[in-house]
Amino acid sequence: MKQNNNLPNCNQLSEKFSVKFPDLGVDDQNLLFWDEDVHFFKRGSVIYKEGDFAKGCFFLYSGILKIFKTGLEGKEQIIRFAKEGDLIGFRSVLSHERFCTSAKVIEDAVVCFIPANVLTKLIQENSNFALQLMKVTCAELGEANNYITDIAQKTVRERLAEVLIHLEDTFGLSEEGTLKISLTREELANMVGTATESVIRLLSEFKSDKLIELNGRKIKILNSESLRKTGGLI
């Protein structure tokens, strides 16, 4: 398999990809990654934009991306975050539609482009992979359904508490005990679905209630159980 000293080679890409999609033979791995189209992206880089024609999908080898839609007056609505090992943009490829979201780097990322014809061929020839991809799709739709329910039924305070717990569960904690993912107040607000000022005020309230500790962008959860109760998770 081909080597590249600066970016992951075919073997490394395959190993990471197989964590979520384990039923791939050597031929499948070669189909995906032999002509690897791998790039390093700094924070702030845009991987694809809403409305772009979906010529293929993207495998996130490392880093974190935010997946979002743009609403009125250019306001972002964060749909979810993609982390290492995730495959993004594949639903638009399979439905032969333009991308319905945008993907932007929030932590330096290494991304591999997978052409549409390669993904389609793999799905046609490997039923186990097709089933695993269907499960990923169902999980993403389940998250979207939960988000719609939360927007309709939960207060902003409850939604913010749930988002903080979700970030802890998804990305874990640093050695200092803070959330590994570092977001601006605006990004948090876009994820919760509210104004930035509301998030700033509520974070201050959570701090006063000894639920969290704040140090710039860094957030440390002090009382996970109480925060889960606030978010209606227990």
Side-chain angles (χ1 to χ4, degrees):
M1 293 184 177
K2 297 196 301 184
Q3 301 292 319
N4 186 309
N5 293 328
N6 299 317
L7 294 168
N9 59 36
C10 185
N11 282 319
Q12 293 168 315
L13 290 165
S14 297
E15 183 178 358
K16 183 68 66 72
F17 194 84
S18 295
V19 172
K20 182 170 286 188
F21 302 102
D23 295 316
L24 295 178
V26 174
D27 290 341
D28 295 329
Q29 294 170 9
N30 283 335
L31 175 65
L32 282 171
F33 301 123
W34 179 258
D35 291 319
E36 67 260 25
D37 186 359
V38 189
H39 301 275
F40 172 78
F41 294 94
K42 296 287 290 181
R43 176 182 171 89
S45 301
V46 175
I47 306 301
Y48 63 80
K49 291 183 180 179
E50 187 175 348
D52 286 351
F53 182 72
K55 297 180 181 180
C57 60
F58 301 86
F59 172 58
L60 182 56
Y61 180 82
S62 64
I64 300 175
L65 310 179
K66 65 177 178 181
I67 313 300
F68 65 94
K69 290 185 71 68
T70 304
L72 297 175
E73 299 179 354
K75 182 177 176 60
E76 293 180 5
Q77 176 61 62
I78 295 177
I79 306 301
R80 67 184 184 90
F81 293 99
K83 61 184 184 300
E84 66 175 48
D86 283 351
L87 190 65
I88 61 172
F90 66 88
R91 285 187 291 111
S92 295
V93 172
L94 297 180
S95 59
H96 301 288
E97 297 175 346
R98 295 181 181 274
F99 287 118
C100 59
T101 59
S102 299
K104 191 173 185 179
V105 179
I106 63 170
E107 285 192 9
D108 292 356
V110 173
V111 180
C112 179
F113 174 73
I114 299 175
N117 65 308
V118 170
L119 181 69
T120 301
K121 181 177 175 63
L122 184 57
I123 290 171
Q124 291 172 338
E125 297 182 353
N126 189 322
S127 59
N128 287 331
F129 173 74
L131 179 59
Q132 289 162 358
L133 199 60
M134 187 182 300
K135 289 180 179 179
V136 171
T137 303
C138 290
E140 291 181 1
L141 289 174
E143 290 178 6
N145 289 339
N146 290 337
Y147 178 78
I148 292 171
T149 302
D150 287 350
I151 288 289
Q153 299 181 2
K154 288 188 176 183
T155 65
V156 175
R157 179 183 176 86
E158 290 170 333
R159 296 204 303 270
L160 178 58
E162 183 176 4
V163 162
L164 293 177
I165 292 298
H166 173 72
L167 294 176
E168 179 185 29
D169 291 343
T170 302
F171 297 101
L173 303 175
S174 67
E175 293 180 358
E176 297 79 25
T178 60
L179 295 176
K180 274 188 178 179
I181 184 171
S182 177
L183 302 176
T184 66
R185 299 298 186 257
E186 183 179 9
E187 286 170 334
L188 273 175
N190 291 341
M191 195 173 183
V192 173
T194 189
T196 304
E197 295 77 12
S198 297
V199 162
I200 293 172
R201 174 179 54 80
L202 286 168
L203 287 175
S204 181
E205 289 180 9
F206 286 172
K207 180 180 178 180
S208 297
D209 294 339
K210 308 297 184 186
L211 298 179
I212 64 173
E213 219 173 62
L214 299 173
N215 183 10
R217 285 189 189 179
K218 294 182 178 180
I219 299 176
K220 184 176 185 179
I221 295 177
L222 300 177
N223 193 328
S224 180
E225 183 176 0
S226 293
L227 204 58
R228 288 179 185 274
K229 286 181 180 178
T230 300
L233 299 175
I234 56 176

